[in-house]
Amino acid sequence: MREFAYIRVSSKDQNECRQVIAMKSRGIPAERIFLEKLSGKNTRRPRLLALMKKVRRGDVVVVESISRFARNTRDFLELAAKLSKKGVEFISLKELIDTTTPTGRFMLTIFAAVAELEREHILERQAEGIVAAKAQGKHLGRPAKGCPENFAVVVENWERGSIRLDDVLKQTGLKRATFFNRLREMRSEQK
């Protein structure tokens, strides 16, 4: 029986050390630890897919917490079913779930529902925060990229046909969509 670990944090800024320590304390070697720095919003995660492909009958997948493995009940139960079909067991350290037992399989379903509820609460609070920030007039997201100083001259050359769109994008440093957005804004200001 080989144990494999799946570790996930939602962003590059978050620290995975706590999960790594938990897996190493179980004696799981580094080559069987699959680390991911991505949101758990879906199951299309490269390291998770690699893990699912690697495990074989008799293996065990260990996670620190169900929420590190999947963020909603549907995805979690789907992953657990895929593991079960392959003859692979599942252990969650935080929730003390071990699918080799009937109680463990029952608890798996209960905790999956709790994880989804927690995720829905997070999204709800996030949405409320966005509404509150907008009500206070705060700008959300990346700052808009303004027009470079040479924008009007470059646009004039482009409209005359003396330069191609690729050259316009290089000279202005804008992406295609941003260029056309700024062009639309410039034309509406001129009216």
Side-chain angles (χ1 to χ4, degrees), residues 160-180:
R160 281 186 305 180
S162 60
I163 60 173
R164 298 180 341 209
L165 181 58
D166 290 343
D167 296 324
V168 169
L169 300 178
K170 285 178 188 171
Q171 290 178 28
T172 60
L174 300 173
K175 302 267 188 229
R176 183 183 178 96
T178 305
F179 167 73
F180 283 108

Side-chain angles (χ1 to χ4, degrees), residues 115-129:
E116 182 174 5
L117 179 65
E118 182 180 328
R119 176 70 178 151
E120 287 177 9
H121 283 301
I122 289 168
L123 292 174
E124 192 175 85
R125 287 191 303 269
Q126 182 182 33
E128 289 168 356

Side-chain angles (χ1 to χ4, degrees), residues 1-7 19-20 22-24 26-35 47-65 69 83 86-93:
M1 175 180 79
R2 300 179 304 169
E3 285 192 351
F4 289 80
Y6 180 73
I7 295 172
Q19 293 177 68
V20 171
M23 298 310 159
K24 287 192 175 180
R26 288 187 65 88
I28 301 174
E31 65 271 9
R32 291 201 311 252
I33 294 176
F34 289 72
L35 172 65
R47 298 298 291 157
L48 175 61
L49 296 172
L51 170 67
M52 296 298 282
K53 192 174 184 178
K54 180 93 174 170
V55 292
R56 302 282 178 255
R57 179 168 298 284
D59 291 340
V60 177
V61 171
V62 182
V63 299
E64 185 271 333
S65 161
F69 194 53
L83 290 173
K86 292 179 82 167
V88 176
E89 299 300 335
F90 176 83
I91 295 175
S92 172
L93 301 176

Side-chain angles (χ1 to χ4, degrees), residues 127-173:
E128 289 168 356
I130 289 170
V131 168
K134 284 183 179 179
Q136 293 174 359
K138 293 182 181 173
H139 175 76
L140 303 173
R142 284 192 322 204
K145 189 164 188 171
C147 287
E149 289 181 24
N150 65 343
F151 190 74
V153 173
V154 173
V155 167
E156 188 178 313
N157 290 334
W158 174 64
E159 288 176 332
R160 281 186 305 180
S162 60
I163 60 173
R164 298 180 341 209
L165 181 58
D166 290 343
D167 296 324
V168 169
L169 300 178
K170 285 178 188 171
Q171 290 178 28
T172 60

